[in-house]
Amino acid sequence: MNIILLDTNDFTGNSKVSIRDRRAEHIINVLHAKSGQCLKVGMINGNIRHGTCISTNKNCVEIEVDNFNILPPPPLPVTLIVAMQRPKTMKKIIQSATAMGVKKIFIIETWKVEKSYWTSPLLTQEKLEEQLRLGLEQSGDTIMPQITIKKRFKPFVEDELPTITAGSLGLVAHPDSTMKCPHQIDGQITVAVGPEGGFTEYEINKMSDIGLKPVTLGIRTLRSEFAVTALLAKLT
Amino acid sequence: MNIILLDTNDFTGNSKVSIRDRRAEHIINVLHAKSGQCLKVGMINGNIRHGTCISTNKNCVEIEVDNFNILPPPPLPVTLIVAMQRPKTMKKIIQSATAMGVKKIFIIETWKVEKSYWTSPLLTQEKLEEQLRLGLEQSGDTIMPQITIKKRFKPFVEDELPTITAGSLGLVAHPDSTMKCPHQIDGQITVAVGPEGGFTEYEINKMSDIGLKPVTLGIRTLRSEFAVTALLAKLT
């Protein structure tokens, strides 16, 4: 946890915060914060601020927050479209993409997505937000990414993807492509990543039809969470 | 498991293999292989071959292996020097670096490495090999990387690192550096990655003294396993 994220309802006064949950636990048990100690705090969807630990009684931490505003780190200019994965893997992808600065994530259905994954409790608003917060806390960011779930591939690609990719370089990760994933792209990027078994030829063709270029990370197959990190790292 | 890795002692005849362990389990329960089915197999530290499933009785799988040799994927021209991490994280780093094609890994002691990590059972030859095999199986590779453990930072950097980095671009990941991690380097690379809390200034200076350039991945702090993947992806 490289930043303590605060909501307006954590405030008990104009500048005084009182928290009791895993953030308090972290401040007490990991940071071993004492009264007077500086803490990096951030307003969810707002700026980064300096906090001063006032007290750590039992499970409650009180913080005085100053008004000096520091901008959060800039976002990554990438929209990530990712097929639904095994929930454990999906969590890692959401956390790591968020930590890297992605602000728009679409989780989509594709032919090879295991149907049972869609019943995962991860896909509730609350649980997704938990993963986003973990990613923000890791990277010292405050701006919540937006996750959109799209359960029908064809209408998503035909009706929505053209608008999403407009003005950006559109790419789709495809091991069979002969074009290597490019490096250090200037400007906006949209990148699509398939499920464990990859996209089908039909799906690749549908996305190519609206301008996404199939690119490969090489002949080595990486686990999805590392493939997403590798793609984002190469592209930016 | 994108390849079934075989040792010479798996062979019961010139070209016949009999296995009973987690590889057999995978062939039966994940691949649902039937008699006659093709399997991608590879000789540890050798070539990739075609296998044909002969039988899957109970927990025993028999495979007929042909003599047609396919070269394993080329290695990544990167030597990875990584401070010892929390064992769970270290496992992921070994697996993912191996999957990406790194063939030389040094696990080193630094000031901020938690002393207790060194008592982890992970650091036995057998357990390390397990992680290397998982990485190879993921990426369809056969060539075992070499892991060397160095428990004394100063003699390692002074006496061994100059030879290790000779003829390569030497880099050390350091969040405070003003130089961004470069992309797509031609030729050999040596890259050093610190523990969770980073290298100390002393350690950065020692490595700079022998020519390693401090580079940053940006102001966002990533989890070590994703930072290693991001570095390897950018550099190659």
Side-chain angles (χ1 to χ4, degrees):
Chain A
M1 205 183 279
N2 291 307
I3 192 167
I4 315 294
L5 291 176
L6 300 175
D7 286 308
T8 46
N9 54 12
D10 292 321
F11 282 77
T12 54
N14 267 345
S15 60
K16 206 170 153 190
V17 158
S18 174
I19 48 179
R20 288 179 177 276
D21 50 19
R22 65 179 180 83
R23 295 169 296 175
E25 243 179 78
H26 179 85
I27 292 168
I28 296 169
N29 300 326
V30 181
L31 302 181
H32 305 292
K34 298 272 173 286
S35 169
Q37 188 166 325
C38 277
L39 296 168
K40 184 177 173 186
V41 302
M43 300 301 301
I44 279 279
N45 290 325
N47 283 326
I48 295 170
R49 302 221 185 138
H50 292 123
T52 306
C53 180
I54 301 172
S55 66
T56 57
N57 291 324
K58 287 184 184 160
N59 299 324
C60 178
V61 172
E62 290 191 304
I63 307 170
E64 179 77 29
V65 178
D66 74 11
N67 278 316
F68 186 71
N69 285 313
I70 305 160
L71 288 177
L76 213 66
V78 180
T79 296
L80 176 65
I81 296 165
V82 57
M84 181 59 186
Q85 313 277 331
R86 195 180 297 277
K88 216 174 137 182
T89 304
M90 197 72 237
K91 282 184 187 174
K92 288 181 201 157
I93 292 175
I94 295 171
Q95 275 186 43
S96 57
T98 301
M100 289 181 86
V102 173
K103 295 299 172 197
K104 272 191 192 162
I105 302 172
F106 290 85
I107 300 176
I108 66 167
E109 162 78 314
T110 75
W111 182 256
K112 290 184 190 162
V113 168
E114 270 273 336
K115 297 295 166 273
S116 64
Y117 295 167
W118 292 109
T119 60
S120 165
L122 167 67
L123 295 178
T124 59
Q125 184 71 24
E126 191 196 339
K127 296 280 179 192
L128 288 173
E129 200 182 299
E130 215 174 280
Q131 300 307 315
L132 295 173
R133 276 181 185 254
L134 290 170
L136 295 178
E137 287 169 359
Q138 173 62 39
S139 60
D141 194 358
T142 58
I143 311 297
M144 272 284 185
Q146 189 193 344
I147 298 186
T148 312
I149 296 171
K150 293 289 168 184
K151 282 204 185 172
R152 292 176 61 219
F153 179 81
K154 196 167 166 254
F156 170 70
V157 173
E158 288 180 352
D159 306 336
E160 302 186 54
L161 199 49
T163 313
I164 295 165
T165 57
S168 76
L169 173 68
L171 302 171
V172 46
H174 186 46
D176 295 346
S177 171
T178 51
M179 187 177 147
K180 279 192 178 176
C181 175
H183 278 251
Q184 281 184 295
I185 300 301
D186 271 334
Q188 290 290 325
I189 305 160
T190 306
V191 61
V193 179
E196 218 184 313
F199 289 114
T200 62
E201 277 308 308
Y202 167 82
E203 288 162 349
I204 291 289
N205 290 339
K206 286 300 282 183
M207 290 187 280
S208 296
D209 284 350
I210 66 142
L212 270 67
K213 291 180 181 59
V215 292
T216 176
L217 279 172
I219 50 170
R220 296 172 174 277
T221 311
L222 302 183
R223 293 175 77 94
S224 303
E225 62 267 38
F226 291 111
V228 169
T229 300
L231 280 167
L232 296 176
K234 279 182 194 282
L235 292 169
T236 61
Chain B
M1 204 182 280
N2 292 306
I3 191 167
I4 314 295
L5 291 176
L6 301 175
D7 287 309
T8 46
N9 53 13
D10 293 320
F11 282 76
T12 53
N14 266 345
S15 60
K16 206 169 154 191
V17 158
S18 173
I19 48 180
R20 287 180 179 274
D21 52 18
R22 63 179 181 81
R23 295 170 296 175
E25 242 178 79
H26 180 85
I27 292 168
I28 296 169
N29 300 326
V30 180
L31 301 181
H32 305 292
K34 300 270 173 288
S35 169
Q37 188 166 326
C38 276
L39 296 168
K40 185 177 173 185
V41 302
M43 299 302 301
I44 279 281
N45 290 325
N47 284 327
I48 295 170
R49 301 219 186 139
H50 291 124
T52 307
C53 180
I54 301 172
S55 65
T56 57
N57 289 326
K58 286 184 184 162
N59 299 322
C60 178
V61 172
E62 290 191 305
I63 306 171
E64 178 75 30
V65 177
D66 73 11
N67 278 318
F68 186 71
N69 284 313
I70 305 160
L71 287 177
L76 214 65
V78 180
T79 296
L80 176 65
I81 296 165
V82 58
M84 180 60 187
Q85 315 276 330
R86 194 180 297 278
K88 215 174 138 182
T89 304
M90 198 71 237
K91 281 184 188 175
K92 288 180 199 156
I93 292 175
I94 296 171
Q95 274 186 43
S96 56
T98 301
M100 288 181 87
V102 173
K103 294 298 173 198
K104 272 192 191 162
I105 303 173
F106 291 84
I107 300 177
I108 66 167
E109 161 77 313
T110 74
W111 183 255
K112 290 185 190 163
V113 168
E114 271 272 336
K115 298 293 166 275
S116 65
Y117 295 167
W118 293 109
T119 61
S120 166
L122 168 65
L123 295 177
T124 60
Q125 183 72 23
E126 190 195 340
K127 295 280 178 189
L128 288 173
E129 200 182 299
E130 215 173 280
Q131 300 308 315
L132 295 173
R133 276 181 185 253
L134 290 170
L136 294 178
E137 286 169 358
Q138 173 62 39
S139 60
D141 194 358
T142 57
I143 310 297
M144 272 283 185
Q146 186 192 349
I147 297 186
T148 313
I149 297 172
K150 292 290 167 183
K151 282 204 186 173
R152 292 176 63 219
F153 180 81
K154 197 166 165 255
F156 170 70
V157 172
E158 288 179 351
D159 306 335
E160 302 186 55
L161 199 50
T163 313
I164 294 166
T165 57
S168 75
L169 173 68
L171 302 172
V172 46
H174 185 45
D176 295 346
S177 171
T178 51
M179 186 177 148
K180 280 191 178 176
C181 175
H183 279 252
Q184 281 184 294
I185 300 300
D186 271 334
Q188 290 289 324
I189 305 160
T190 307
V191 61
V193 179
E196 218 184 313
F199 288 114
T200 63
E201 277 307 308
Y202 166 82
E203 288 162 350
I204 291 289
N205 290 339
K206 286 300 282 182
M207 289 187 282
S208 296
D209 284 350
I210 66 143
L212 271 67
K213 291 180 182 58
V215 292
T216 175
L217 279 172
I219 51 171
R220 296 171 175 277
T221 311
L222 303 182
R223 294 175 77 94
S224 304
E225 62 267 38
F226 292 111
V228 169
T229 300
L231 280 166
L232 296 176
K234 278 182 195 284
L235 292 168
T236 60

